[in-house]
Amino acid sequence: MQYLVVSDIHANLEAFEAVLAAAPACDHVLVLGDLVGYGADPNAVVDRVRAFAAATVIRGNHDKVAAGLEPAAGFNHLARRAVEWTQAALTPANRDWIAALPPGPVLVDELIEMCHGSPFDEDVYLFDDMDARQAFRASRRPLCLFGHTHVPTVFMDGEALKFVGPPHGPRYDVTMADGARYVVNCGAVGQPRDGDPRAAYGLVDTAARTISVLRVRYDVGAAQAKILAAGLPEVLAQRLGTGR
Ligand code: ZN
């Protein structure tokens, strides 16, 4: 089984289309939440995800607020302005569809579990070894895929817990070691924050037991122009250029 892994698309249609064009044909798509918020194309991105023939989709924190399930109280002013814009832009049908998305974690198959933030709390960020330890305790599968931080990250729990990448490069491949467990963020499609502005996504091959983190260039200028034309905060356009 070959899975395409996409997270934190954040209404960036240009980045999302570039990922879908670059990725090989997969059996199933895993969408790890935050489809909307920050970018200018929430409906087009949701429509694209709804059109997948085989996908498992969970909600992210921005999706919850955009769908009206939670107040924007915990958001900084940029995220709040973006989510208020998104609430007004979403069609009622897409808003209802987002509101019905399940929270993570979700067990995908015998190998994979997926969540937005962490397997113990959908809104918690996994940044460091301490966070990863908690995630490994909560995870019920050898591979736990997460998003939310927008930073590609691979933690491995074998003989000892270690951070194993990924470094910057066109792609990063991990073959899962026997008996080891992994907690992996394949990066953000629509708003990378690791200093690399290219869209990030993942591939998991369950037969080969490989996890790949890949990057693809997209038309950043087009996504930025749409954000500015929509009247969204200028910094949301600027940060796409630096990947921060
Ligand atoms: Zn996000």
Side-chain angles (χ1 to χ4, degrees):
M1 188 86 160
Q2 176 110 324
Y3 290 99
L4 170 64
V5 183
V6 290
S7 188
D8 298 280
I9 304 163
H10 281 293
N12 185 337
L13 184 65
E14 285 70 26
F16 194 28
E17 292 287 7
V19 164
L20 297 176
C26 289
D27 306 302
H28 199 95
V29 187
L30 304 177
V31 184
L32 274 57
D34 278 3
L35 285 72
V36 303
Y38 296 135
D41 277 310
N43 287 303
V45 164
V46 170
D47 290 343
R48 199 77 179 74
V49 171
R50 293 179 71 171
F52 286 141
T56 304
V57 189
I58 56 173
R59 69 189 189 185
N61 52 317
H62 286 257
D63 303 322
K64 274 194 288 185
V65 179
L69 298 176
E70 270 186 8
F75 279 11
N76 65 39
H77 78 282
L78 279 177
R80 189 174 313 174
R81 277 183 61 193
V83 83
E84 284 165 357
W85 181 92
T86 303
Q87 285 168 339
L90 280 173
T91 64
N94 281 341
R95 189 192 55 227
D96 292 348
W97 182 83
I98 291 173
L101 287 175
V106 164
L107 301 177
V108 178
D109 61 19
E110 288 307 307
L111 187 73
I112 303 170
E113 176 173 31
M114 64 190 262
C115 58
H116 182 64
S118 77
F120 51 89
D121 184 323
E122 62 177 329
D123 294 331
V124 165
Y125 293 87
L126 299 181
F127 280 116
D128 58 24
D129 285 10
M130 285 237 301
D131 305 329
R133 264 179 232 290
Q134 218 178 334
F136 279 116
R137 275 198 294 273
S139 175
R140 293 162 292 167
R141 288 291 183 268
L143 171 59
C144 177
L145 298 168
F146 73 102
H148 199 33
T149 63
H150 299 206
V151 177
T153 310
V154 179
F155 291 105
M156 173 188 172
D157 192 15
E159 286 174 13
L161 180 100
K162 61 176 179 176
F163 173 78
V164 291
H168 292 258
R171 65 181 289 155
Y172 181 75
D173 298 292
V174 179
T175 300
M176 296 177 70
D178 282 343
R181 300 199 301 148
Y182 295 81
V183 170
V184 175
N185 187 330
C186 295
V189 171
Q191 198 195 76
R193 291 183 192 157
D194 60 341
D196 182 341
R198 295 175 301 170
Y201 66 102
L203 297 172
V204 177
D205 187 321
T206 57
R209 292 175 65 89
T210 55
I211 309 156
S212 305
V213 178
L214 301 99
R215 304 302 283 250
V216 60
R217 289 187 195 287
Y218 72 96
D219 191 346
V220 174
Q224 290 174 317
K226 285 184 182 176
I227 286 171
L228 297 177
L232 283 157
E234 206 177 321
V235 65
L236 295 177
Q238 290 165 351
R239 70 188 305 178
L240 294 182
T242 56
R244 289 287 179 197

